[in-house]
Amino acid sequence: MFETTLAGSLPKPSWLATPNVLWAPWTLSGQPLFEAKDDATLLAIRRQEEAGIDIVSDGEQARQHFVHGFLAEVDGVDFDKKVRMGIRNNRYDADCPTVTAPLKRRKFVHEREARVARAATARKLKFTLPGPMTLIDTLADGYYGDRVKMAFAFAELLNQEARDLEKLGVDVIQFDEPAFNVYLGETVEWGVPALEKAAEGLKCTTAVHICYGYGIEANIKWKEALGDSWRQYEQTFPALDRSKIQQVSLECRQSHVPPELMKLLKSKTVLVGAIDVASDKVETPQEVAETLKLAARFVDPERIQACTNCGMAPMTLAVAYGKLRALAEGAALARKSFA
């Protein structure tokens, strides 16, 4: 009950990348960069263990960005042909690579960091991948001419990657789909089926993470425009509950998501975001416990995991790991109240 985990990214040490920003430039290159990524992955896992996290991850230490880290080894994506375009339904503009040819994985993209992470811990290991809808929302299409066709092409590549990760001993494969909170009708129509294609045939635990984004200015402004009741999950959760995906990671702490919407996930393990990633204030264990106990009013406690709202890449190391310690201590408090 109330196993602890995190949504994805953790801050990178300053000797690896520029601190406290997304898309952080690497401070090294060549072989020293590979070695530094390995060291940062090991350190991230050790720090999670020391914080008391049950299901650890590589913290995305070897990736500049959760989407582009995967795309870097995909044929058919031209990083030299970038298009300035609105993403997440024009929430903000980004310079997006262009798909110019059939998509094909050059190699097992995340093999190195997954091997390092698996060898570093005896705890359950989670590995995150971008979901198909979020991938295509971060690219210009110069080849397929059809969003759905391109999404399913990516779903096939993601499935190949996920199967390779499973063979390495990864326990949980999580697909990150922030786009599910933006394109609600399309999520139900083809986003969830594309996600299921990405997870097809996996025997390890499968999860999807759906949030309202990193704690960056564009996302904070978008949240302010959503009003006092954020009901996006209401449209997508029923479709996800019917899907074969086993876990759903959602935003809860310091959000305007009505907690009763969690009742729509009748059969899933629910990863309750009990840590606010848009604030540097470190939660108290008591606050974490209260968030989990609130969730337990709508979801069986045995189906709840304690999680972060989103990734924590832009934060300082001290704040991020302080929040993870609070997450573990708060989950322990919540466990006692149901003992």
mmCIF file with all atom_site columns, all heavy atoms in Angstrom, residues 112-127:
data_model
loop_
_atom_site.group_PDB
_atom_site.id
_atom_site.type_symbol
_atom_site.label_atom_id
_atom_site.label_alt_id
_atom_site.label_comp_id
_atom_site.label_asym_id
_atom_site.label_entity_id
_atom_site.label_seq_id
_atom_site.pdbx_PDB_ins_code
_atom_site.Cartn_x
_atom_site.Cartn_y
_atom_site.Cartn_z
_atom_site.occupancy
_atom_site.B_iso_or_equiv
_atom_site.pdbx_formal_charge
_atom_site.auth_seq_id
_atom_site.auth_comp_id
_atom_site.auth_asym_id
_atom_site.auth_atom_id
_atom_site.pdbx_PDB_model_num
ATOM 1   N N   . ARG A 1 112 ? 21.986 1.954  -22.916 1.00 0.00 ? 112 ARG A N   1
ATOM 2   C CA  . ARG A 1 112 ? 23.084 2.206  -21.984 1.00 0.00 ? 112 ARG A CA  1
ATOM 3   C C   . ARG A 1 112 ? 22.580 2.634  -20.608 1.00 0.00 ? 112 ARG A C   1
ATOM 4   O O   . ARG A 1 112 ? 22.964 2.048  -19.588 1.00 0.00 ? 112 ARG A O   1
ATOM 5   C CB  . ARG A 1 112 ? 24.036 3.265  -22.554 1.00 0.00 ? 112 ARG A CB  1
ATOM 6   C CG  . ARG A 1 112 ? 25.208 3.561  -21.620 1.00 0.00 ? 112 ARG A CG  1
ATOM 7   C CD  . ARG A 1 112 ? 26.291 4.326  -22.323 1.00 0.00 ? 112 ARG A CD  1
ATOM 8   N NE  . ARG A 1 112 ? 27.398 4.639  -21.415 1.00 0.00 ? 112 ARG A NE  1
ATOM 9   C CZ  . ARG A 1 112 ? 28.663 4.745  -21.787 1.00 0.00 ? 112 ARG A CZ  1
ATOM 10  N NH1 . ARG A 1 112 ? 29.001 4.547  -23.040 1.00 0.00 ? 112 ARG A NH1 1
ATOM 11  N NH2 . ARG A 1 112 ? 29.605 5.049  -20.898 1.00 0.00 ? 112 ARG A NH2 1
ATOM 12  N N   . GLU A 1 113 ? 21.711 3.635  -20.568 1.00 0.00 ? 113 GLU A N   1
ATOM 13  C CA  . GLU A 1 113 ? 21.264 4.115  -19.261 1.00 0.00 ? 113 GLU A CA  1
ATOM 14  C C   . GLU A 1 113 ? 20.378 3.094  -18.557 1.00 0.00 ? 113 GLU A C   1
ATOM 15  O O   . GLU A 1 113 ? 20.374 2.993  -17.325 1.00 0.00 ? 113 GLU A O   1
ATOM 16  C CB  . GLU A 1 113 ? 20.564 5.473  -19.357 1.00 0.00 ? 113 GLU A CB  1
ATOM 17  C CG  . GLU A 1 113 ? 19.334 5.518  -20.236 1.00 0.00 ? 113 GLU A CG  1
ATOM 18  C CD  . GLU A 1 113 ? 19.613 6.051  -21.624 1.00 0.00 ? 113 GLU A CD  1
ATOM 19  O OE1 . GLU A 1 113 ? 20.615 5.633  -22.230 1.00 0.00 ? 113 GLU A OE1 1
ATOM 20  O OE2 . GLU A 1 113 ? 18.805 6.875  -22.121 1.00 0.00 ? 113 GLU A OE2 1
ATOM 21  N N   . ALA A 1 114 ? 19.625 2.296  -19.329 1.00 0.00 ? 114 ALA A N   1
ATOM 22  C CA  . ALA A 1 114 ? 18.798 1.264  -18.710 1.00 0.00 ? 114 ALA A CA  1
ATOM 23  C C   . ALA A 1 114 ? 19.666 0.177  -18.083 1.00 0.00 ? 114 ALA A C   1
ATOM 24  O O   . ALA A 1 114 ? 19.367 -0.320 -16.991 1.00 0.00 ? 114 ALA A O   1
ATOM 25  C CB  . ALA A 1 114 ? 17.846 0.669  -19.733 1.00 0.00 ? 114 ALA A CB  1
ATOM 26  N N   . ARG A 1 115 ? 20.738 -0.210 -18.775 1.00 0.00 ? 115 ARG A N   1
ATOM 27  C CA  . ARG A 1 115 ? 21.657 -1.217 -18.219 1.00 0.00 ? 115 ARG A CA  1
ATOM 28  C C   . ARG A 1 115 ? 22.319 -0.692 -16.937 1.00 0.00 ? 115 ARG A C   1
ATOM 29  O O   . ARG A 1 115 ? 22.430 -1.412 -15.939 1.00 0.00 ? 115 ARG A O   1
ATOM 30  C CB  . ARG A 1 115 ? 22.731 -1.583 -19.244 1.00 0.00 ? 115 ARG A CB  1
ATOM 31  C CG  . ARG A 1 115 ? 22.267 -2.521 -20.332 1.00 0.00 ? 115 ARG A CG  1
ATOM 32  C CD  . ARG A 1 115 ? 23.439 -3.032 -21.159 1.00 0.00 ? 115 ARG A CD  1
ATOM 33  N NE  . ARG A 1 115 ? 22.980 -3.834 -22.261 1.00 0.00 ? 115 ARG A NE  1
ATOM 34  C CZ  . ARG A 1 115 ? 22.639 -5.120 -22.170 1.00 0.00 ? 115 ARG A CZ  1
ATOM 35  N NH1 . ARG A 1 115 ? 22.699 -5.735 -21.002 1.00 0.00 ? 115 ARG A NH1 1
ATOM 36  N NH2 . ARG A 1 115 ? 22.240 -5.786 -23.236 1.00 0.00 ? 115 ARG A NH2 1
ATOM 37  N N   . VAL A 1 116 ? 22.764 0.549  -16.987 1.00 0.00 ? 116 VAL A N   1
ATOM 38  C CA  . VAL A 1 116 ? 23.404 1.148  -15.814 1.00 0.00 ? 116 VAL A CA  1
ATOM 39  C C   . VAL A 1 116 ? 22.424 1.187  -14.640 1.00 0.00 ? 116 VAL A C   1
ATOM 40  O O   . VAL A 1 116 ? 22.761 0.818  -13.506 1.00 0.00 ? 116 VAL A O   1
ATOM 41  C CB  . VAL A 1 116 ? 23.916 2.564  -16.142 1.00 0.00 ? 116 VAL A CB  1
ATOM 42  C CG1 . VAL A 1 116 ? 24.342 3.300  -14.875 1.00 0.00 ? 116 VAL A CG1 1
ATOM 43  C CG2 . VAL A 1 116 ? 25.082 2.498  -17.128 1.00 0.00 ? 116 VAL A CG2 1
ATOM 44  N N   . ALA A 1 117 ? 21.205 1.616  -14.920 1.00 0.00 ? 117 ALA A N   1
ATOM 45  C CA  . ALA A 1 117 ? 20.207 1.727  -13.862 1.00 0.00 ? 117 ALA A CA  1
ATOM 46  C C   . ALA A 1 117 ? 19.842 0.362  -13.281 1.00 0.00 ? 117 ALA A C   1
ATOM 47  O O   . ALA A 1 117 ? 19.736 0.194  -12.060 1.00 0.00 ? 117 ALA A O   1
ATOM 48  C CB  . ALA A 1 117 ? 18.961 2.423  -14.394 1.00 0.00 ? 117 ALA A CB  1
ATOM 49  N N   . ARG A 1 118 ? 19.644 -0.623 -14.156 1.00 0.00 ? 118 ARG A N   1
ATOM 50  C CA  . ARG A 1 118 ? 19.250 -1.951 -13.679 1.00 0.00 ? 118 ARG A CA  1
ATOM 51  C C   . ARG A 1 118 ? 20.341 -2.573 -12.804 1.00 0.00 ? 118 ARG A C   1
ATOM 52  O O   . ARG A 1 118 ? 20.047 -3.237 -11.791 1.00 0.00 ? 118 ARG A O   1
ATOM 53  C CB  . ARG A 1 118 ? 18.945 -2.851 -14.867 1.00 0.00 ? 118 ARG A CB  1
ATOM 54  C CG  . ARG A 1 118 ? 18.478 -4.267 -14.539 1.00 0.00 ? 118 ARG A CG  1
ATOM 55  C CD  . ARG A 1 118 ? 17.120 -4.332 -13.831 1.00 0.00 ? 118 ARG A CD  1
ATOM 56  N NE  . ARG A 1 118 ? 17.172 -3.947 -12.413 1.00 0.00 ? 118 ARG A NE  1
ATOM 57  C CZ  . ARG A 1 118 ? 16.091 -3.782 -11.646 1.00 0.00 ? 118 ARG A CZ  1
ATOM 58  N NH1 . ARG A 1 118 ? 14.888 -3.961 -12.154 1.00 0.00 ? 118 ARG A NH1 1
ATOM 59  N NH2 . ARG A 1 118 ? 16.208 -3.435 -10.394 1.00 0.00 ? 118 ARG A NH2 1
ATOM 60  N N   . ALA A 1 119 ? 21.599 -2.369 -13.193 1.00 0.00 ? 119 ALA A N   1
ATOM 61  C CA  . ALA A 1 119 ? 22.716 -2.931 -12.422 1.00 0.00 ? 119 ALA A CA  1
ATOM 62  C C   . ALA A 1 119 ? 22.915 -2.213 -11.095 1.00 0.00 ? 119 ALA A C   1
ATOM 63  O O   . ALA A 1 119 ? 23.548 -2.754 -10.181 1.00 0.00 ? 119 ALA A O   1
ATOM 64  C CB  . ALA A 1 119 ? 23.993 -2.867 -13.249 1.00 0.00 ? 119 ALA A CB  1
ATOM 65  N N   . ALA A 1 120 ? 22.351 -1.010 -10.968 1.00 0.00 ? 120 ALA A N   1
ATOM 66  C CA  . ALA A 1 120 ? 22.628 -0.168 -9.800  1.00 0.00 ? 120 ALA A CA  1
ATOM 67  C C   . ALA A 1 120 ? 21.698 -0.418 -8.626  1.00 0.00 ? 120 ALA A C   1
ATOM 68  O O   . ALA A 1 120 ? 21.965 0.048  -7.515  1.00 0.00 ? 120 ALA A O   1
ATOM 69  C CB  . ALA A 1 120 ? 22.543 1.303  -10.190 1.00 0.00 ? 120 ALA A CB  1
ATOM 70  N N   . THR A 1 121 ? 20.601 -1.152 -8.846  1.00 0.00 ? 121 THR A N   1
ATOM 71  C CA  . THR A 1 121 ? 19.620 -1.273 -7.769  1.00 0.00 ? 121 THR A CA  1
ATOM 72  C C   . THR A 1 121 ? 18.943 -2.631 -7.786  1.00 0.00 ? 121 THR A C   1
ATOM 73  O O   . THR A 1 121 ? 18.741 -3.230 -8.847  1.00 0.00 ? 121 THR A O   1
ATOM 74  C CB  . THR A 1 121 ? 18.555 -0.161 -7.870  1.00 0.00 ? 121 THR A CB  1
ATOM 75  O OG1 . THR A 1 121 ? 17.663 -0.243 -6.751  1.00 0.00 ? 121 THR A OG1 1
ATOM 76  C CG2 . THR A 1 121 ? 17.755 -0.254 -9.165  1.00 0.00 ? 121 THR A CG2 1
ATOM 77  N N   . ALA A 1 122 ? 18.560 -3.085 -6.603  1.00 0.00 ? 122 ALA A N   1
ATOM 78  C CA  . ALA A 1 122 ? 17.753 -4.295 -6.477  1.00 0.00 ? 122 ALA A CA  1
ATOM 79  C C   . ALA A 1 122 ? 16.271 -3.952 -6.355  1.00 0.00 ? 122 ALA A C   1
ATOM 80  O O   . ALA A 1 122 ? 15.422 -4.847 -6.331  1.00 0.00 ? 122 ALA A O   1
ATOM 81  C CB  . ALA A 1 122 ? 18.205 -5.099 -5.262  1.00 0.00 ? 122 ALA A CB  1
ATOM 82  N N   . ARG A 1 123 ? 15.969 -2.654 -6.295  1.00 0.00 ? 123 ARG A N   1
ATOM 83  C CA  . ARG A 1 123 ? 14.566 -2.231 -6.177  1.00 0.00 ? 123 ARG A CA  1
ATOM 84  C C   . ARG A 1 123 ? 13.882 -2.308 -7.539  1.00 0.00 ? 123 ARG A C   1
ATOM 85  O O   . ARG A 1 123 ? 14.523 -2.450 -8.578  1.00 0.00 ? 123 ARG A O   1
ATOM 86  C CB  . ARG A 1 123 ? 14.482 -0.810 -5.620  1.00 0.00 ? 123 ARG A CB  1
ATOM 87  C CG  . ARG A 1 123 ? 15.062 -0.722 -4.237  1.00 0.00 ? 123 ARG A CG  1
ATOM 88  C CD  . ARG A 1 123 ? 14.761 0.584  -3.537  1.00 0.00 ? 123 ARG A CD  1
ATOM 89  N NE  . ARG A 1 123 ? 15.481 0.644  -2.265  1.00 0.00 ? 123 ARG A NE  1
ATOM 90  C CZ  . ARG A 1 123 ? 15.294 1.557  -1.344  1.00 0.00 ? 123 ARG A CZ  1
ATOM 91  N NH1 . ARG A 1 123 ? 14.404 2.522  -1.536  1.00 0.00 ? 123 ARG A NH1 1
ATOM 92  N NH2 . ARG A 1 123 ? 15.997 1.534  -0.223  1.00 0.00 ? 123 ARG A NH2 1
ATOM 93  N N   . LYS A 1 124 ? 12.564 -2.207 -7.522  1.00 0.00 ? 124 LYS A N   1
ATOM 94  C CA  . LYS A 1 124 ? 11.830 -2.143 -8.784  1.00 0.00 ? 124 LYS A CA  1
ATOM 95  C C   . LYS A 1 124 ? 12.306 -0.923 -9.570  1.00 0.00 ? 124 LYS A C   1
ATOM 96  O O   . LYS A 1 124 ? 12.509 0.156  -8.990  1.00 0.00 ? 124 LYS A O   1
ATOM 97  C CB  . LYS A 1 124 ? 10.330 -2.035 -8.525  1.00 0.00 ? 124 LYS A CB  1
ATOM 98  C CG  . LYS A 1 124 ? 9.705  -3.302 -7.957  1.00 0.00 ? 124 LYS A CG  1
ATOM 99  C CD  . LYS A 1 124 ? 8.210  -3.091 -7.742  1.00 0.00 ? 124 LYS A CD  1
ATOM 100 C CE  . LYS A 1 124 ? 7.562  -4.301 -7.101  1.00 0.00 ? 124 LYS A CE  1
ATOM 101 N NZ  . LYS A 1 124 ? 6.113  -4.075 -6.830  1.00 0.00 ? 124 LYS A NZ  1
ATOM 102 N N   . LEU A 1 125 ? 12.457 -1.092 -10.872 1.00 0.00 ? 125 LEU A N   1
ATOM 103 C CA  . LEU A 1 125 ? 12.963 -0.027 -11.737 1.00 0.00 ? 125 LEU A CA  1
ATOM 104 C C   . LEU A 1 125 ? 11.902 0.390  -12.744 1.00 0.00 ? 125 LEU A C   1
ATOM 105 O O   . LEU A 1 125 ? 11.353 -0.445 -13.462 1.00 0.00 ? 125 LEU A O   1
ATOM 106 C CB  . LEU A 1 125 ? 14.216 -0.500 -12.474 1.00 0.00 ? 125 LEU A CB  1
ATOM 107 C CG  . LEU A 1 125 ? 14.824 0.483  -13.478 1.00 0.00 ? 125 LEU A CG  1
ATOM 108 C CD1 . LEU A 1 125 ? 15.376 1.726  -12.766 1.00 0.00 ? 125 LEU A CD1 1
ATOM 109 C CD2 . LEU A 1 125 ? 15.930 -0.197 -14.299 1.00 0.00 ? 125 LEU A CD2 1
ATOM 110 N N   . LYS A 1 126 ? 11.633 1.683  -12.767 1.00 0.00 ? 126 LYS A N   1
ATOM 111 C CA  . LYS A 1 126 ? 10.730 2.260  -13.762 1.00 0.00 ? 126 LYS A CA  1
ATOM 112 C C   . LYS A 1 126 ? 11.554 2.952  -14.844 1.00 0.00 ? 126 LYS A C   1
ATOM 113 O O   . LYS A 1 126 ? 12.581 3.578  -14.559 1.00 0.00 ? 126 LYS A O   1
ATOM 114 C CB  . LYS A 1 126 ? 9.798  3.282  -13.099 1.00 0.00 ? 126 LYS A CB  1
ATOM 115 C CG  . LYS A 1 126 ? 8.922  4.062  -14.083 1.00 0.00 ? 126 LYS A CG  1
ATOM 116 C CD  . LYS A 1 126 ? 8.230  5.249  -13.426 1.00 0.00 ? 126 LYS A CD  1
ATOM 117 C CE  . LYS A 1 126 ? 7.076  4.810  -12.574 1.00 0.00 ? 126 LYS A CE  1
ATOM 118 N NZ  . LYS A 1 126 ? 6.262  5.969  -12.114 1.00 0.00 ? 126 LYS A NZ  1
ATOM 119 N N   . PHE A 1 127 ? 11.084 2.855  -16.087 1.00 0.00 ? 127 PHE A N   1
ATOM 120 C CA  . PHE A 1 127 ? 11.709 3.600  -17.174 1.00 0.00 ? 127 PHE A CA  1
ATOM 121 C C   . PHE A 1 127 ? 10.610 4.295  -17.958 1.00 0.00 ? 127 PHE A C   1
ATOM 122 O O   . PHE A 1 127 ? 9.555  3.715  -18.224 1.00 0.00 ? 127 PHE A O   1
ATOM 123 C CB  . PHE A 1 127 ? 12.509 2.670  -18.094 1.00 0.00 ? 127 PHE A CB  1
ATOM 124 C CG  . PHE A 1 127 ? 13.605 3.371  -18.836 1.00 0.00 ? 127 PHE A CG  1
ATOM 125 C CD1 . PHE A 1 127 ? 14.890 3.444  -18.305 1.00 0.00 ? 127 PHE A CD1 1
ATOM 126 C CD2 . PHE A 1 127 ? 13.360 3.998  -20.045 1.00 0.00 ? 127 PHE A CD2 1
ATOM 127 C CE1 . PHE A 1 127 ? 15.901 4.113  -18.976 1.00 0.00 ? 127 PHE A CE1 1
ATOM 128 C CE2 . PHE A 1 127 ? 14.361 4.670  -20.724 1.00 0.00 ? 127 PHE A CE2 1
ATOM 129 C CZ  . PHE A 1 127 ? 15.642 4.728  -20.191 1.00 0.00 ? 127 PHE A CZ  1
#
